[in-house]
Structure formats: structure tokens, C-alpha cells
């Protein structure tokens, strides 16, 4: 998997988990992806962008995630790392429970609750002020408090309340139920749900240790978890972990580990954070719930880019309260590595969500002569030859007209992150395709015409109103920005980020088509900062196929594709002298410089009277102070990105 694919994959699962409250992979699998990303230095977003139905709230300080540890060695390394960077021999660590809920932030001004938000993508969350107010025991007023105070914590639903609430099996687990309940447009619905919360973070105030923070939160009337412990060394930390691990089933709420935090808040400042997590804390995760069952069959599914994904069909088994009948097998290499065969007895694990994974095979119970699993040589959907891509574990269908690929591409095209055609579900895509109404992407925009000669109402599930609604939402999406358009095409390795790079580079659809349909595309693409060989190869392959060019022209004839508005941006920046200071989180220095220059700015290395703008990243140095004294305009990284038209 390339870095870009990994980033996209994590993003995809973030949407399912944080936005749709409906994860496809286990927490353990998700953690595995994040771990891989961290190891190879790929930055990934925390959470996911706020749902557009809610007002956005920008967090004064980013709401970060936690780095994960799975064993004693990971914790030892964490302690060693911290001690080394602080040059300290002894540390006081506060141990808290890691509540498996949904994080919130609540802002108080002079003691009055003025705004509450979800984490969202870490920088911007969703406004849930009226919803949080419905939670029993959530303080709306803090008597005697002056100035700004922000409280953060976790909203959850207790296990007994969940059983009561979930009689119709609407939710996969208490966490999804809590997330779904808090992220309601109608606060009355939230009020009818048994939400609870624990607070664990206080921004503002005078506490100097996390221990004091928890006490102060309690004093202010917040619910704070009773289980907390100040540990002086690794042994004490692990003792607390073991104690809680063995009594977790009596807690009546889900926890997925222990959080260790440095107690001294001053040290938090000194250590700071990476893009995604603070360096002063770590989550020691509990191992996933497990069970043994029979693997009945391995089926192979075909994805949008032709990727063949094996899935295990299992004899249904209850693992930690959830009935499991399928497990993800990731890819061919995983089947070989674990030697998984049809008919095997396997150990499946899940950690709080829907599709679990296979940990290992119970070799002792394998029947003699059980054949090895043979991966199909041809696509199970269209019969085309399959090919293994070098360096990747992936096996793909080579067919250009593979029905399964087309359907997955169509699903991607109409999805929220792409064309965002509301009401166009996966089922609709499949049924329109089966009815011969949509053969290729552009047919979506001629659907109305097609339907005038077709009686859809004769087919099950289609009423006049639902057809009209769908056509309306298709029509409402005929105007689209260039980057979104590019992303929607589902070209391999071209996610939102690369689509934006392409859009900014080519500016208009017409220019993009003119430049990308000649033979020199590959080298031309490599000149774009952020596009490497793999991406360039995939894009040139896409544009080298005549049927794709025809499809694009046909598609564009139904749409208004908005060019990137460069004028507005360069007017604000052109001719200005810009200086960068501190660590930029979203861009490399070189990239930032290049972008500024491409918009006509001059990038200088030092602040002087002739400086027009100072862009300040994390931990700025003396340039920042100098700019303040000289009264130079200062922008933070977000503001800068907004100014140059990069959404972060
Ligand atoms: S501290 C800067 N403490 O776990 C991060 N987080 O996987 C501050 N969580 O985003 C988080 N219990 O939503 C902290 N006692 C606890 C927690 C906790 C649950 C959540 C939180 C965080 C997520 C990371």
C-alpha cells in the first residue's frame, strides 16, 4: 500500500467511524493502520471533517487523539522517550480509564456554558450546544467562575442503558449509540437518550497537575471518573492496568484501555504534541475480545479500483456480545502468512465494532488433506485476468469493463466525499445498473431523460416522491468545484489531497484535459509538488485510455465545473514579502515556500521592516517576537492555508 493509499484508507475508516457511527473494521485493525502510518511517517487526520448539517466550531486548541501502546515494551519506550526529552529521572504518572465514547468540548464564558462541540477533524468540530445541554447533570452554570474555561471529556451510554435502548438492534454497540444520539439535529431526540459523560480535561484555570484538574472538575460539579491513580513507576502503572482490566466487566460502561498522562502540566507544555497526539500521554489498549469458530468459506470481493479483497464467512459466533459471521482477511498475503484455509477453526477478535479479523488458525483441529486456499486467477465478477502489483500485497482485476469495479466507482462518485448526491444509496446504484439505466458515470446525469421512457414505479421500492427527490438532488449537484470533480472520478491514488493539487495546478477542467490527454503526461505530473511516480503513473494510465477521455467529455457536458479562483488568492499575496517561522503542521517548509512563490509572493528568511506577513507554525522562534514589535501582520497556519485556498 502506498502512503497515499494508507492515508486515504484511514480517512475512509474515519468517516465510517466518526461521521456515520458505523465502522467496517475493528478498532484493532484501525489501530494497526494508524500504527503503520506513524511508523513510516505518514501524517493522518484525527477523526473526520464535521458533518455539514451542523454548524462548524473551530477549537481554540486542537482536540488530539492519543498514541497507542499494546504491551509493556511500548510503555517502557514511552517513559524512556519522555525522560530523555525532559532530561528527568523520575516522573509522576496519572492513570485514568480510557472511556470508549465520543469526545466533547464545552466552553464556558464567565461561568456560563456558551458552546459545546464534537471533536470533528480535531481542528473543527460540530456544534452540539443544545444537545449537550440535555445531558442530565451537565453543568450549564459554574458559579463564581470568571473568564474562559474549556472542559473536555467523553460522552457515553452505560451498558445497561444500552441494552434497554437497543431492543430493536439499531446500534452496533454503546459507543455508536452515544455518537448517534449526541449528533442529532433535533435536541429532543438527544434528550430522550440515556447519555452520560465523564470530564477529564480543563483548559484555563490554575491547576498545575492533572490530579488537581480532576479534583477541580469535580468541585465545579462535573462527573469525573472515580478510578484514577498516581503512579510513580512502570510497575505501579501496570498494576493499575491489571486491576482495571480484571474488573472492567463490572464497570457498566465500555473502556478500551488505560490512559497514562504526566501529572505535571508544565511538562505537557515542554513536551508539546505531534500533529495527531500529545507527547505527554499514551493509551495502553486492552487486547481485543476473542472467540473460536469455523471458517466456512472465503469469498473474494472486487472494489472500485479492481482490488480483490478476501472475506471470511464464519459459523456465527458471539464475541463479547456481538454476533459475528464475517471477518476481514485483508489481502492474499495475509491468507498465506497465517495459512488460513476453508474449513479451518479460527480465532476471531473484535474490539467494539462490526467486522472482526482472524487472529490465527487452530492447526490442531485442521482435518487432514484440507487444501490450501487458492486465490482466483480470474476476477470472480467479470472473469478478466487478475494481476499482482509489485511491492503491494494487492491483487487486482485487470478488466476495464468489470461490472463490480464500475459499480464501486459509481458508489464512490455519488458518495458524500465526492459528488455528494443525497439519497443515492449503494442499493440505488446497483438497481439502476441492473435495470440498464446507468452503464457509466455520465448516465447519472441523463437519468431523468431515461426515466421518462421507463416506468420505475413498477419496480419495487420506488414511489413518485422518492424518484422526484433523487432527480432533484442529482440536478442540484450539476455545478461542482474542479478538485471535487477530480476526486469523484475514483482514479487510483487520487484522493482529496491529490485532487486538490491537480486542481490548483491545472486551474480549469479544459486546461486539465488539454494537458493530460497528451503523451508527456507522466513527466509533466512529476513537476507538481506532492505527486510522486506512483500517482503520476496511475493518472497517466487513466488519461491514456480513450474510453476514459470520452467518458470525461460526456460527463463534463452535463456539468458546470468551476475553475480554481487564482486571481482572488494571488491578489492578496502577490508582491508581498512573506516569512515563515515555527513548525508547519500541514505543509513542509519547501512546499509552503513554493506555493507562496507561485502566487507571486517573495519568501524571505528573516523578519524586517519590509516584511508584509509572518506565518507562524508550532513553537515559533524570535521572528515572532520581532514581528510583534514591528507590528507586522501575523497569520497562523490555518489562516495562511485559507488565504492561499488550501483547506486543511
Ligand atoms: S485525554 C490530547 N483521557 O480517547 C488527548 N482521552 O483515542 C486528550 N479518551 O480523543 C485525551 N478517555 O476522546 C483522555 N481519560 C481520558 C480518555 C480519553 C477516553 C478518548 C478521547 C481521545 C481518545 C483517543
Amino acid at each position: 500500500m502506498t502512503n497515499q493509499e494508507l492515508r486515504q484508507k484511514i480517512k475512509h475508516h474515519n468517516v465510517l467511524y466518526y461521521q456515520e457511527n458505523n465502522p467496517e473494521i475493528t478498532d484493532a485493525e484501525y489501530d494497526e493502520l494508524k500504527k503503520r502510518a506513524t511508523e513510516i511517517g505518514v501524517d493522518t487526520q484525527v477523526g473526520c471533517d464535521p458533518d455539514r448539517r451542523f454548524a462548524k466550531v473551530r477549537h481554540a486548541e486542537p482536540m488530539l487523539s492519543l498514541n497507542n501502546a499494546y504491551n509493556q515494551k511500548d510503555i517502557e519506550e514511552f517513559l524512556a522517550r519522555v525522560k530523555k526529552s525532559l532530561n528527568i529521572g523520575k516522573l509522576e504518572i496519572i492513570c485514568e480509564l480510557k472511556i470508549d465514547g465520543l469526545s466533547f468540548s464545552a466552553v464556558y464564558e464567565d461561568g456560563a456554558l456558551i458552546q459545546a462541540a464534537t471533536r470533528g477533524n480535531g481542528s473543527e468540530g460540530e456544534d452540539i450546544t443544545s444537545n449537550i445541554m440535555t445531558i442530565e447533570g451537565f453543568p450549564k452554570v459554574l458559579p463564581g467562575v470568571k473568564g474562559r474555561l474549556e472542559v473536555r471529556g467523553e460522552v457515553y451510554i452505560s451498558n445497561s442503558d444500552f441494552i434497554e435502548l437497543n431492543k430493536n438492534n439499531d446500534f452496533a454497540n454503546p459507543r455508536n449509540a452515544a455518537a448517534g444520539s449526541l449528533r442529532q439535529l433535533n435536541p429532543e431526540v438527544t434528550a430522550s437518550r440515556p447519555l452520560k459523560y465523564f470530564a477529564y480535561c480543563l483548559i484555563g484555570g490554575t491547576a498545575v497537575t492533572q490530579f488537581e484538574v480532576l479534583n477541580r472538575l469535580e468541585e465545579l460539579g462535573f462527573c469525573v471518573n472515580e478510578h484514577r491513580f498516581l503512579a510513580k513507576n512502570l510497575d505501579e502503572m501496570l498494576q493499575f492496568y491489571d486491576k482495571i482490566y480484571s474488573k472492567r466487566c463490572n464497570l457498566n460502561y465500555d473502556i478500551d484501555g488505560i490512559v497514562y498522562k504526566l501529572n505535571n502540566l508544565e511538562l505537557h507544555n515542554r513536551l508539546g504534541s505531534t500533529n495527531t497526539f500529545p507527547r505527554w500521554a499514551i493509551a495502553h489498549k486492552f487486547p481485543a475480545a476473542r472467540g473460536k469458530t469455523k471458517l466456512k468459506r472465503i469469498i473474494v470481493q472486487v472494489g472500485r479500483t479492481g482490488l480483490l479483497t478476501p472475506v471470511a464467512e464464519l459459523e456465527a459466533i458471539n464475541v463479547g456480545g456481538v454476533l459475528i459471521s464475517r471477518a476481514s482477511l485483508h489481502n492474499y498475503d495475509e491468507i498465506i502468512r497465517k495459512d488460513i484455509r476453508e474449513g479451518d477453526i479460527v480465532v476471531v477478535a473484535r474490539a467494539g465494532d462490526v467486522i472482526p479479523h482472524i487472529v490465527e488458525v487452530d492447526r490442531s483441529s485442521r482435518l487432514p488433506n484440507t487444501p490450501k486456499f487458492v486465490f482466483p486467477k480470474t476476477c470472480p465478477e467479470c472473469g478478466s485476468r487478475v494481476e499482482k502489483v509489485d511491492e503491494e500485497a494487492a491483487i487486482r482485476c485487470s478488466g476495464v469493463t468489470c461490472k463490480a469495479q464500475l459499480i464501486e466507482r459509481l458508489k464512490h462518485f455519488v458518495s458524500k466525499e465526492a459528488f455528494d448526491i443525497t439519497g443515492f444509496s449503494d442499493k440505488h446504484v446497483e438497481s439502476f445498473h441492473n435495470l440498464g439505466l446507468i452503464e457509466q458515470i455520465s448516465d447519472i446525469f441523463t437519468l431523468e431523460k431515461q426515466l421518462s421512457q421507463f416506468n420505475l414505479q413498477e419496480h419495487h421500492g420506488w414511489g413518485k416522491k422518492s424518484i422526484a427527490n433523487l432527480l432533484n438532488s442529482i440536478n442540484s449537484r450539476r455545478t461542482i468545484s474542479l478538485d471535487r470533480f477530480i476526486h469523484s472520478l475514483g482514479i487510483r491514488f487520487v484522493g482529496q489531497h491529490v485532487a486538490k493539487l491537480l486542481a490548483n495546478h491545472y486551474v480549469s477542467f479544459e486546461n486539465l484535459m488539454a494537458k493530460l490527454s497528451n503523451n508527456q503526461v507522466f513527466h509533466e505530473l512529476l513537476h507538481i509538488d506532492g505527486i510522486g511516480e506512483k500517482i503520476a503513473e496511475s493518472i497517466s494510465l487513466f488519461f491514456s485510455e480513450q474510453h476514459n477521455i470520452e467518458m470525461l467529455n460526456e460527463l463534463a457536458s452535463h456539468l458546470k465545473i468551476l475553475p480554481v479562483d487564482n486571481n482572488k488568492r494571488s491578489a492578496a499575496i502577490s508582491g508581498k514579502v512573506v516569512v515563515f517561522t515555527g513548525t508547519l503542521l500541514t505543509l513542509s517548509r519547501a512546499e509552503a515556500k513554493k506555493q507562496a512563490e507561485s502566487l507571486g509572493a517573495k519568501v524571505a528568511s528573516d523578519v524586517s521592516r519590509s516584511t508584509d506577513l509572518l506565518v507562524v507554525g508550532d513553537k515559533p522562534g524570535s521572528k515572532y517576537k520581532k514581528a510583534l514589535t514591528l507590528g507586522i501582520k501575523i497569520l497562523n497556519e490555518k489562516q495562511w492555508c485559507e488565504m492561499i485556498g488550501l483547506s486543511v
Side-chain angles (χ1 to χ4, degrees):
M1 195 169 0
T2 64
N3 293 1
Q4 176 64 17
E5 266 190 334
L6 182 59
R7 193 182 288 122
Q8 280 303 322
K9 195 162 180 176
I10 292 176
K11 193 158 184 181
H12 167 74
H13 291 300
N14 280 346
V15 171
L16 294 174
Y17 186 87
Y18 292 103
Q19 196 154 310
E20 296 176 10
N21 308 321
N22 189 16
E24 257 172 15
I25 56 170
T26 62
D27 284 2
E29 283 167 328
Y30 178 80
D31 287 348
E32 187 58 38
L33 290 175
K34 290 283 276 192
K35 205 163 143 196
R36 212 143 85 205
T38 318
E39 275 164 11
I40 56 175
V42 170
D43 284 342
T44 54
Q45 195 185 31
V46 178
C48 98
D49 291 337
D51 186 325
R52 280 198 245 146
R53 295 171 307 142
F54 293 88
K56 280 187 198 166
V57 174
R58 187 158 278 273
H59 300 302
E61 264 182 42
M63 287 183 79
L64 300 175
S65 178
L66 286 166
N67 197 8
N68 289 330
Y70 300 92
N71 48 44
Q72 179 169 340
K73 188 167 153 271
D74 293 345
I75 306 295
E76 281 168 3
E77 283 171 6
F78 164 73
L79 291 175
R81 213 162 43 228
V82 168
K83 285 180 182 167
K84 188 163 172 232
S85 19
L86 294 171
N87 199 13
I88 284 185
K90 276 197 162 36
L91 289 170
E92 216 178 27
I93 304 283
I94 183 157
C95 313
E96 296 174 14
L97 306 195
K98 184 164 169 359
I99 314 297
D100 195 8
L102 178 80
S103 50
F104 71 87
S105 129
V107 177
Y108 294 80
E109 209 50 85
D110 288 334
L113 174 58
I114 56 159
Q115 189 163 61
T118 61
R119 175 164 73 179
N121 60 18
S123 313
E124 271 184 340
E126 296 144 334
D127 188 334
I128 44 144
T129 316
S130 342
N131 299 2
I132 214 138
M133 298 236 191
T134 68
I135 300 181
E136 208 178 297
F138 201 99
K140 292 164 200 69
V141 181
L142 308 175
V145 170
K146 286 273 161 278
R148 184 184 189 281
L149 213 57
E150 182 175 345
V151 174
R152 292 180 177 178
E154 209 78 1
V155 168
Y156 70 96
I157 289 181
S158 76
N159 292 342
S160 48
D161 285 338
F162 176 71
I163 290 164
E164 184 69 21
L165 174 71
N166 203 30
K167 289 214 169 100
N168 296 332
N169 263 331
D170 293 329
F171 305 102
N173 55 45
R175 192 209 163 271
N176 293 344
S181 303
L182 191 61
R183 299 170 70 250
Q184 283 287 335
L185 290 178
N186 179 358
E188 279 176 26
V189 179
T190 310
S192 72
R193 304 279 170 81
L195 289 173
K196 293 195 166 69
Y197 75 95
F198 285 122
Y200 48 70
C201 174
L202 184 60
I203 304 174
T206 54
V208 294
T209 63
Q210 171 66 6
F211 200 79
E212 282 175 30
V213 163
L214 297 179
N215 288 341
R216 176 72 181 137
L217 284 168
E218 244 165 13
E219 213 175 85
L220 289 169
F222 290 94
C223 296
V224 178
N225 193 279
E226 58 178 314
H227 302 284
R228 61 192 96 140
F229 177 71
L230 261 185
K232 288 188 202 59
N233 52 42
L234 177 71
D235 277 353
E236 289 187 359
M237 290 158 74
L238 298 177
Q239 265 167 30
F240 182 78
Y241 174 94
D242 287 341
K243 185 179 104 185
I244 299 295
Y245 183 65
S246 53
K247 69 172 180 191
R248 90 194 249 217
C249 54
N250 303 324
L251 288 175
N252 198 24
Y253 46 83
D254 279 354
I255 58 172
D256 55 343
I258 302 294
V259 187
Y260 304 124
K261 304 175 181 174
L262 298 205
N263 193 31
N264 182 338
L265 301 184
E266 165 60 22
L267 301 181
H268 294 193
N269 285 335
R270 277 179 56 193
L271 286 170
S273 306
T274 71
N275 239 349
T276 40
F277 55 78
R279 296 195 184 87
W280 44 263
I282 198 156
H284 191 175
K285 299 286 282 259
F286 291 145
R290 286 164 182 224
K292 258 188 192 180
T293 189
K294 183 173 175 181
L295 188 165
K296 292 194 295 192
R297 208 159 72 99
I298 296 176
I299 52 169
V300 178
Q301 295 176 337
V302 187
R304 158 163 66 88
T305 57
L307 188 71
L308 266 55
T309 312
V311 176
E313 280 188 357
L314 306 168
E315 203 87 72
I317 178 180
N318 188 323
V319 181
V322 176
L323 207 59
I324 302 296
S325 57
R326 277 181 160 218
S328 154
L329 289 170
H330 302 283
N331 53 44
Y332 178 55
D333 284 5
E334 167 113 344
I335 300 183
I336 300 294
R337 193 159 43 83
K338 294 185 177 161
D339 188 16
I340 300 170
R341 305 186 189 186
E342 291 184 320
D344 274 347
I345 300 296
V346 293
V347 177
V348 283
R350 59 167 284 273
D353 45 20
V354 205
I355 302 190
H357 67 288
I358 291 183
V359 183
E360 58 185 2
V361 170
D362 179 358
R363 294 279 172 82
S364 62
S365 54
R366 177 178 284 164
L367 295 173
N369 304 327
T370 303
K372 280 200 169 170
F373 178 69
V374 183
F375 209 82
K377 301 268 180 302
T378 55
C379 169
E381 296 284 348
C382 76
S384 302
R385 190 173 39 80
V386 300
E387 47 199 30
K388 189 161 164 60
V389 187
D390 284 344
E391 299 161 48
E392 280 185 60
I395 293 185
R396 288 174 194 283
C397 161
S398 63
V400 278
T401 50
C402 174
K403 177 182 160 189
Q405 281 185 54
L406 174 67
I407 287 189
E408 292 310 310
R409 269 202 302 274
L410 284 165
K411 288 180 187 169
H412 167 74
F413 186 86
V414 299
S415 72
K416 199 168 173 120
E417 291 198 320
F419 256 70
D420 193 13
I421 303 181
T422 30
F424 212 137
S425 68
D426 288 359
K427 286 222 171 73
H428 292 145
V429 170
E430 277 162 30
S431 73
F432 283 135
H433 186 78
N434 292 338
L435 293 169
L437 291 167
I438 295 184
E439 300 279 359
Q440 60 166 349
I441 292 176
S442 53
D443 295 343
I444 292 172
F445 295 96
T446 53
L447 189 62
E448 187 158 12
K449 207 162 135 215
Q450 294 261 25
L451 285 180
S452 61
Q453 295 145 26
F454 191 95
N455 194 355
L456 191 59
Q457 282 177 70
E458 275 176 7
H459 294 268
H460 179 71
W462 283 104
K464 236 187 183 144
K465 186 117 189 261
S466 59
I467 300 172
N469 283 346
L470 183 64
L471 293 175
N472 271 342
S473 61
I474 293 175
N475 285 333
S476 71
R477 305 297 295 157
R478 283 182 192 262
T479 302
I480 189 129
S481 64
L482 180 59
D483 62 319
R484 204 177 249 271
F485 174 82
I486 298 171
H487 173 230
S488 305
L489 300 174
I491 305 171
R492 233 175 119 201
F493 305 134
V494 182
Q496 282 168 312
H497 178 68
V498 174
K500 206 157 248 164
L501 295 177
L502 290 171
N504 284 344
H505 186 80
Y506 291 109
V507 181
S508 71
F509 173 73
E510 293 71 23
N511 186 42
L512 174 118
M513 288 300 278
K515 297 279 163 53
L516 290 185
S517 15
N518 79 41
N519 294 332
Q520 303 301 314
V521 191
F522 180 73
H523 294 286
E524 143 124 24
L525 285 163
L526 286 180
H527 285 121
I528 305 177
D529 200 15
I531 294 194
E533 288 194 2
K534 268 214 161 140
I535 305 177
E537 200 176 298
S538 161
I539 300 171
S540 10
L541 187 69
F542 181 88
F543 282 89
S544 69
E545 306 223 6
Q546 192 50 33
H547 68 100
N548 284 338
I549 302 287
E550 282 161 17
M551 183 274 289
L552 283 176
N553 285 326
E554 169 68 20
L555 183 57
S557 72
H558 302 288
L559 302 171
K560 186 170 173 207
I561 305 169
L562 300 174
V564 178
D565 188 359
N566 257 335
N567 293 338
K568 219 164 70 198
R569 287 195 265 140
S570 50
I573 294 159
S574 180
K576 298 268 160 63
V577 179
V578 182
V579 175
F580 293 95
T581 181
T583 317
L584 299 179
L585 297 176
T586 46
L587 305 167
S588 73
R589 223 7 127 66
E591 206 180 329
K593 184 165 182 255
K594 203 161 161 190
Q595 274 169 355
E597 285 171 348
S598 75
L599 293 168
K602 185 168 172 298
V603 178
S605 51
D606 273 319
V607 171
S608 71
R609 284 195 192 282
S610 59
T611 309
D612 294 298
L613 269 179
L614 179 75
V615 181
V616 181
D618 199 24
K619 304 212 184 70
S622 57
K623 290 180 207 169
Y624 179 53
K625 283 197 188 123
K626 195 164 171 194
L628 281 175
T629 0
L630 293 175
I632 285 162
K633 185 167 176 186
I634 296 173
L635 296 181
N636 64 25
E637 189 175 346
K638 289 258 150 58
Q639 293 164 323
W640 167 252
C641 287
E642 272 158 24
M643 194 164 179
I644 63 168
L646 269 184
S647 66
V648 283

